[in-house]
Amino acid sequence: LLTSFVVSRSSNFLYFNEVASPMQLEDGLVYFNFRLNKIWHIGNLFLNTALCLQHTDNEVLSIPTFFYHQQIKYTYDLMNEFVLSSSLNSYFFSKYYPDSFFPLTDVFHQQRTQESILQPFFSGDILLSKKDFSCGFIFNNLQNLFLSESYFIPQYILPKPTIRFSIKWGFVD
């Protein structure tokens, strides 16, 4: 079990207000974060669970109070040090006021009229790996396969499920 507690104080915090105008916070901003993380290993199956509680003392920074992440990963050793792995990730967090996007100036700015919806997010992958190389497929926005609400807030529509081909190759100098 891994735990961490972070208290961060920021001065002169810069943000974009409701009309996308830059503002600087005159008072200090204090951010609290408490995180629990546990990894279970049962044979080739890994369960990674993370729970995060966070709070800020000023409403200019709207963040979810509660965040939960669960990863289920299965690995299988193939021949010649090749490993086949597959994982499913789920994310869930409490309601908060996410920033809105203002395309004219290309900035995210505050909005305090609509809270995010309570919705889980799912992603997954299937990878073939060996040492510093891996390739496979990454699946994003899987929640949209079975949920009718395909937006985070009504102005921020989530993309349809996507499949990406991934290649990671580490080079040694």
Side-chain angles (χ1 to χ4, degrees):
L1 180 68
L2 300 171
T3 61
S4 67
F5 181 70
V6 175
V7 177
S8 176
R9 187 175 193 292
S10 177
S11 58
N12 301 319
F13 183 75
L14 181 67
Y15 65 98
F16 291 91
N17 64 8
E18 290 84 1
V19 293
S21 177
M23 301 293 291
Q24 188 170 4
L25 188 63
E26 293 178 14
D27 300 331
L29 177 74
V30 179
Y31 168 76
F32 303 93
N33 178 305
F34 177 71
R35 183 180 175 102
L36 293 171
N37 193 14
K38 176 69 177 166
I39 299 174
W40 287 275
H41 179 203
I42 307 163
N44 291 347
L45 185 66
F46 296 88
L47 300 170
N48 183 1
T49 304
L51 173 67
C52 177
L53 301 171
Q54 55 189 4
H55 176 72
T56 181
D57 70 338
N58 198 308
E59 67 180 27
V60 299
L61 182 62
S62 179
I63 54 176
T65 304
F66 170 83
F67 177 78
Y68 176 78
H69 171 235
Q70 177 71 57
Q71 179 187 44
I72 301 170
K73 182 175 184 177
Y74 183 79
T75 60
Y76 182 74
D77 293 331
L78 299 172
M79 61 187 150
N80 297 332
E81 299 178 12
F82 280 97
V83 175
L84 180 66
S85 67
S86 130
S87 70
L88 179 65
N89 292 286
S90 65
Y91 304 91
F92 182 81
F93 48 87
S94 60
K95 288 184 175 186
Y96 73 106
Y97 294 102
D99 290 344
S100 283
F101 183 68
F102 190 61
L104 185 62
T105 57
D106 198 31
V107 297
F108 283 89
H109 64 90
Q110 282 185 341
Q111 65 84 21
R112 297 297 183 260
T113 57
Q114 294 182 327
E115 280 188 307
S116 63
I117 61 172
L118 287 175
Q119 173 176 307
F121 293 88
F122 296 101
S123 65
D125 59 50
I126 297 174
L127 300 170
L128 182 63
S129 306
K130 181 178 181 179
K131 270 186 151 183
D132 294 328
F133 177 80
S134 72
C135 68
F137 295 96
I138 300 172
F139 309 95
N140 289 323
N141 302 311
L142 297 177
Q143 71 280 355
N144 291 339
L145 292 172
F146 54 88
L147 294 175
S148 61
E149 305 278 322
S150 63
Y151 58 86
F152 191 54
I153 59 172
Q155 291 84 15
Y156 189 10
I157 303 214
L158 295 172
K160 294 183 181 201
T162 57
I163 299 174
R164 296 181 291 153
F165 181 68
S166 169
I167 296 177
K168 293 181 184 176
W169 197 341
F171 294 96
V172 178
D173 268 7

